[in-house]
Every structure is written in C-alpha cells, then in structure tokens.
Amino acid sequence: MGYTSLSVADWDLDGLPDIVLNSIWGKVEWLKNIGTLTRPRLAPLEPVRITPSYQIPRIPWHWWTPERDYLVTQWRTTPVVVDWNQDTLPDLVMLDPEGYLAFYERKKIAGDLVLLPPRRAFVDDRARPIRLNAGTGGKAGRRKLCATDWDGDGKLDLLLNSANANFLRQIESREGTWVMHDEGPLSTKNIEGHDVSPTTVDWDDNHVPDLLGGAENVRFYFLQNPRATK
C-alpha cells in the first residue's frame, strides 16, 4: 500500500497533462493522455527512456535487470516533473540508483525530445552531492519530493518527506549545480507513520503555495505557508 508515487505534467509537450510514476518496482513509467483536458483518457503504461542509449546500472537488491535505456531508480521515490533549469522543457528531479538527488535533464536533439542520464547536480554548501538515502534493500528509496518556490525568492525549492516535510531551500546555482540547504521540518507536528507525501496547494488563491501532506493514517494534513500571514 502506498508505494506508487506520481507527478502530473505535460511530459510529451502536446498540451495535455500526463502521469509520470514510480512504484515498488523502481521503474519510472508514464501514462500518456490521449483524451482531452476535460475528458482525459490514458494510454497503456510506457517506460520513461533515457537517451542516447544508456544502461542504468543494476541495483544489487533488485531481482531483475533493467533493459537498456529504461529509467530505473530506487523504488518508492517520487519522479518530480518540473522545468528545473527554466528552459521551457519538463525535466525530472529524483533519486538516482544510489540514493543521490539527481537532475535528469530534457533536451531537444535533432528535433527529438530526449532525457539525459542522471547528474548529481544538487549539492550542499560545501559542494558535496546530496544523498537522501544510503540504505539498501527494504531501507532504500522511500523519499517523496515536491518542487515549489516555498519562500518566494524566485528560486525553486524542494519539500522532502520527514516527520512532516523538510524544506530544502535553494541558495544559489553554480555552473550547472544547485546549492540546497536543509532548513528542517516545516512544523513541530509529527504526522509520519510510514511516509508523508508532500505536495502544495493554493486553495485561497493568494499565489502562495501551502503544504498538503498525506499520511499513513489515511488523513490529509494542511499547513499554511507562513508567508501568507505576512
């Protein structure tokens, strides 16, 4: 229960929102919307592919070997679809097979939209790649992420599952890397049972993202962004 994590975004740039997902398998797949905005209809699951042809290394505790160019990573982790580098193409931000926070960049090459291999482009203030899970086997994965500009400084940040959600604040970008600082949890309240899946909502339409977290007790929890009260 609860192992499927997803993003809704226009993955193929046809103007319709699609679904990109990860699961207990660690295979990143997508469901193309072949319907309309108001009447979505989803095609069968397809693998998300990395090109040019790239062999994802086999994860030692997986009982199967990934096919060439199929995107496989640690299981139960969120594939965050976001235009992270602001070039108008949807990228992926998620864990790589060793648990490092990685940037999977989209590019147009010879007219084709391709996904490049993972790059450990997220670092701390000492320029060390950020590793979100060094565990193996059943302890691997389990990191749920959401991209948003939480503090309103114009730079994308990340919210990461924790007792509620930790705020990974983007400090600056340096030659193709992004410096992130873990500001700790957004609240003192512990709603974690297994994993909290953070996302953001703007129900009051004030253009400030608020936190919505799903917890294992089958409840949603809402936290207003402190910027909304200033």
Side-chain angles (χ1 to χ4, degrees):
M1 183 182 76
Y3 286 157
T4 300
S5 300
L6 59 87
S7 285
V8 176
D10 183 4
W11 183 244
D12 57 357
L13 297 179
D14 67 352
L16 297 174
D18 310 299
I19 296 176
V20 178
L21 62 92
N22 188 15
S23 66
I24 186 75
W25 284 88
K27 298 176 180 179
V28 183
E29 300 173 298
W30 73 295
L31 294 159
K32 176 178 172 60
N33 185 354
I34 55 176
T36 67
L37 280 172
T38 55
R39 292 180 178 271
R41 189 161 61 93
L42 301 176
L45 272 174
E46 299 181 46
V48 169
R49 299 174 181 270
I50 296 182
T51 49
S53 291
Y54 176 76
Q55 180 66 57
I56 287 281
R58 185 179 186 277
I59 297 176
W61 55 90
H62 278 190
W63 58 95
W64 51 277
T65 300
E67 297 184 48
R68 178 171 291 280
D69 81 11
Y70 281 27
L71 175 50
V72 174
T73 188
Q74 292 197 4
W75 47 31
R76 303 167 290 185
T77 61
T78 313
V80 180
V81 183
V82 59
D83 180 13
W84 187 268
N85 60 357
Q86 315 247 320
D87 65 352
T88 74
L89 300 179
D91 309 300
L92 269 179
V93 173
M94 65 182 308
L95 270 60
D96 71 10
E98 294 182 56
Y100 287 91
L101 186 58
F103 177 53
Y104 298 74
E105 185 178 6
R106 297 294 280 294
K107 285 282 191 185
K108 279 195 173 179
I109 299 177
D112 294 325
L113 187 61
V114 302
L115 183 68
L116 300 184
R119 186 164 60 84
R120 293 172 184 173
F122 299 95
V123 300
D124 62 19
D125 54 10
R126 296 174 62 184
R128 298 173 299 189
I130 294 173
R131 196 174 198 182
L132 295 182
N133 196 339
T136 60
K139 295 181 179 180
R142 300 180 186 267
R143 302 321 307 257
K144 307 299 193 294
L145 294 159
C146 172
T148 185
D149 180 9
W150 183 255
D151 56 1
D153 65 356
K155 298 189 289 289
L156 282 170
D157 311 301
L158 292 168
L159 301 181
L160 171 69
N161 66 305
S162 62
N164 42 84
N166 274 34
F167 173 29
L168 301 186
R169 182 164 65 94
Q170 184 186 155
I171 305 300
E172 61 177 324
S173 57
R174 298 177 183 168
E175 299 178 347
T177 63
W178 291 272
V179 181
M180 313 293 288
H181 185 265
D182 190 345
E183 301 285 346
L186 296 176
S187 169
T188 58
K189 186 177 182 66
N190 189 342
I191 62 172
E192 182 181 31
H194 207 99
D195 285 335
V196 176
S197 295
T199 190
T200 57
V201 295
D202 184 20
W203 283 325
D204 52 9
D205 200 27
N206 64 353
H207 307 292
V208 176
D210 302 308
L211 174 70
L212 184 69
E216 194 175 15
N217 61 4
V218 203
R219 288 181 168 87
F220 288 120
Y221 290 84
F222 175 81
L223 177 70
Q224 189 174 42
N225 192 314
R227 290 198 285 125
T229 58
K230 293 181 180 178

